[in-house]
Amino acid sequence: MALLKNNLGFHQEAIALLKEVMNTYPSIKDFPENTNNNNNNIIVANKASAYNILGESYFALNSINNNDKYLDSTLNNYEKAFLEAEKFIPKHQNSLSFYHLRIATVLIKRKQYKKALKLVNTFDLVKKSQDYYFLKSLIFKNLKRGDSSLYYSYKFLNFNNTSPNTEKNKIVVYNILANLYNDNSKIDSAFRYSKLALGMLEKLNKSKTEANKTHFLYDFNQIQKLNDSILKNELKKRNNLVVLFTTFLISLIIIVVYFLKKIKNKKITTENVLPPKKDYSIHIEIEEMVLKELKKFELSKDYLDSTFSIHQLAKNLNTNTSYLSSVINEKKGKTYKQYLTELRINYLITILQKDSKYKKYTIQALGEEIGYTNASSFSRSFKNYLGKTPSEYINSLKK
């Protein structure tokens, strides 16, 4: 209780101080017209940053007091920060995306997860930020979409950022993974991520700074209870297994002693075979994600690009070419080249059947349509796959 009061006072003082500074802070209009853009941008950056800090402080007050009016003030200040950022010369291309992420955090706090997802999906940077993947993981968990939450959790963990905020978010992601695996009865994985979550949470709780004691989108006390429960259940299960094994061992000894007494001239050797330990490797989880991404790739038509390569596909799937080739060989039963050829030829067969205009194309043009730059290479691949040349197949369609 004392800690909450201290935090309340801390944020209220921060808000009062920031408002006082903002009231005295100069506007761009206060400077002559010939003031260079550098000075204007410094003013804009400082004011935008101050408004964002004000928004975060109101957000923190809501976490302490659970008063919705603080979230209204949060949104108001985030909007002011965005409007200031729009005054940058030249305009910052990412300001709208980051503004949407901030608004999404408020929507998540209000449990408006579908609205939050729509906003997060407008994030249009080619290289997504770690906050983007974190919010997606959190939203999909609350929308009961476990597979998507699992996918974005691992996307988040692929980053190497170690900022204080990232470390707190990492606790939440570990908690999400622990719960997802626990719900799916994958106890080894649930146990592993619970230990990671509780270990980081213990480290966070030892920190004396006000920043680390403020919890925004999540309740760390709830995380503590939930993961304690997972750990206790796992330890209880392991203790039960020890008792069961001990009982089995004692029974076995009794049986062996009985037979030793009954058959004196025979040596009986017993070999206690331990049940194999379940090995649920994280590589299996990564393999599952690669297969899901391959399904998306098959629907994307990226394979029709003549410059597309296995290196590009591996990069898009956040893996390496060796691992990707291995997954395709094992799960698809073919090489990458055969896999790519199959996708391209099947696509061509579909459009030839649906649209008669393609039947009038030259062999060269048909090949270029699906990523081949050489007519001979295209014809050879087509015949190897279908047993007919492109011309023979088109003639069969006409008949």
Side-chain angles (χ1 to χ4, degrees):
M1 190 68 181
L3 179 61
L4 287 176
K5 288 181 179 178
N6 289 339
N7 277 326
L8 181 64
F10 172 79
H11 291 292
Q12 287 174 336
E13 287 176 15
I15 289 171
L17 182 60
L18 277 168
K19 284 183 174 179
E20 186 178 339
V21 171
M22 294 302 292
N23 288 335
T24 60
Y25 204 83
S27 169
I28 292 176
K29 296 177 182 179
D30 298 334
F31 289 82
E33 289 185 9
N34 60 354
T35 303
N36 63 42
N37 289 338
N38 238 7
N39 290 335
N40 288 344
N41 284 345
I42 291 172
I43 295 169
V44 167
N46 288 340
K47 292 186 77 173
S49 178
Y51 280 128
N52 277 328
I53 294 171
L54 266 174
E56 289 166 3
S57 296
Y58 278 117
F59 197 89
L61 285 177
N62 172 265
S63 297
I64 297 167
N65 268 359
N66 197 24
N67 190 329
D68 202 56
K69 71 178 183 179
Y70 291 129
L71 293 182
D72 291 334
S73 297
T74 299
L75 291 172
N76 184 40
N77 281 285
Y78 283 163
E79 183 180 10
K80 288 180 180 178
F82 170 66
L83 293 175
E84 285 295 330
E86 288 290 278
K87 297 174 185 176
F88 258 81
I89 303 175
K91 189 179 290 187
H92 198 293
Q93 62 177 349
N94 300 328
S95 59
L96 180 61
S97 289
F98 288 117
Y99 171 56
H100 282 171
L101 286 190
R102 289 189 175 93
I103 299 303
T105 60
V106 178
L107 293 173
I108 292 170
K109 190 70 174 177
R110 285 176 166 166
K111 299 184 178 180
Q112 297 173 332
Y113 302 114
K114 290 184 179 179
K115 287 185 178 180
L117 181 60
K118 285 183 180 179
L119 267 186
V120 173
N121 283 339
T122 64
F123 194 82
D124 58 3
L125 299 185
V126 174
K127 188 176 182 181
K128 306 298 187 187
S129 74
Q130 192 169 21
D131 286 339
Y132 166 85
Y133 292 121
F134 170 70
L135 292 180
K136 279 246 182 175
S137 170
L138 194 58
I139 290 168
F140 282 126
K141 177 65 169 66
N142 285 286
L143 289 175
K144 312 297 183 187
R145 291 170 59 180
D147 287 346
S148 296
S149 183
L150 184 75
Y151 173 78
Y152 286 105
S153 293
Y154 282 112
K155 283 279 193 180
F156 169 87
L157 293 175
N158 280 339
F159 283 77
N160 294 319
N161 192 352
T162 56
S163 68
N165 192 55
T166 299
E167 292 298 290
K168 288 196 288 184
N169 289 348
K170 194 176 287 186
I171 296 172
V172 181
V173 170
Y174 285 149
N175 177 64
I176 288 172
L177 290 171
N179 278 272
L180 288 173
Y181 284 124
N182 190 55
D183 291 342
N184 286 286
S185 301
K186 295 176 179 177
I187 305 303
D188 284 356
S189 294
F191 186 68
R192 178 169 69 251
Y193 285 112
S194 284
K195 286 200 296 184
L196 287 169
L198 291 175
M200 290 191 69
L201 188 55
E202 183 180 357
K203 182 180 176 182
L204 177 70
N205 287 334
K206 286 180 180 177
S207 173
K208 303 299 181 183
T209 64
E210 295 292 340
N212 279 345
K213 293 295 181 183
T214 302
H215 307 151
F216 292 167
L217 289 178
Y218 28 81
D219 183 349
F220 280 177
N221 289 328
Q222 187 62 28
I223 290 177
Q224 180 86 45
K225 290 178 183 177
L226 209 51
N227 285 279
D228 276 343
S229 173
I230 291 173
L231 291 178
K232 285 177 182 176
N233 287 339
E234 175 63 7
L235 290 173
K236 183 179 179 180
K237 186 195 80 170
R238 293 186 181 191
N239 288 336
N240 288 340
L241 285 174
V242 170
V243 171
L244 185 63
F245 180 75
T246 303
T247 304
F248 166 76
L249 191 60
I250 292 171
S251 301
L252 184 62
I253 291 171
I254 292 171
I255 292 170
V256 170
V257 170
Y258 171 78
F259 278 101
L260 280 173
K261 286 181 178 179
K262 192 173 182 181
I263 308 171
K264 294 181 180 179
N265 297 327
K266 255 185 188 179
K267 289 185 179 180
I268 301 174
T269 58
T270 60
E271 189 176 10
N272 297 325
V273 181
L274 292 173
K277 186 179 178 182
K278 184 180 176 183
D279 182 19
Y280 192 84
S281 171
I282 197 166
H283 294 296
I284 296 174
E285 301 156 11
I286 296 173
E287 180 181 275
E288 290 173 353
M289 283 194 288
V290 168
L291 288 172
K292 286 180 183 177
E293 287 299 295
L294 282 175
K295 287 182 182 177
K296 294 180 183 177
F297 165 70
E298 291 166 8
L299 297 173
S300 71
K301 299 181 184 177
D302 287 345
Y303 53 81
L304 299 178
D305 186 347
S306 61
T307 62
F308 194 84
S309 67
I310 191 171
H311 298 283
Q312 182 62 44
L313 181 57
K315 184 178 179 182
N316 292 349
L317 271 55
N318 289 319
T319 186
N320 58 61
T321 55
S322 298
Y323 187 80
L324 178 58
S325 294
S326 175
V327 172
I328 293 173
N329 292 162
E330 184 179 342
K331 299 299 179 181
K332 302 287 184 180
K334 52 183 73 78
T335 65
Y336 169 77
K337 186 176 179 181
Q338 291 169 333
Y339 173 60
L340 187 64
T341 298
E342 181 177 311
L343 291 175
R344 287 176 169 177
I345 302 300
N346 282 335
Y347 175 82
L348 180 60
I349 290 171
T350 300
I351 63 173
L352 282 170
Q353 291 173 349
K354 289 184 177 179
D355 194 338
S356 60
K357 74 176 182 180
Y358 290 103
K359 298 172 187 175
K360 301 173 184 177
Y361 279 26
T362 65
I363 300 303
Q364 177 71 31
L366 286 174
E368 289 174 354
E369 191 71 23
I370 60 171
Y372 286 87
T373 57
N374 183 285
S376 300
S377 175
F378 160 60
S379 295
R380 188 166 53 253
S381 296
F382 192 99
K383 186 170 184 180
N384 287 340
Y385 178 69
L386 205 62
K388 299 178 181 180
T389 65
S391 300
E392 290 170 343
Y393 178 73
I394 291 170
N395 288 333
S396 71
L397 289 179
K398 290 177 180 178
K399 292 177 183 177

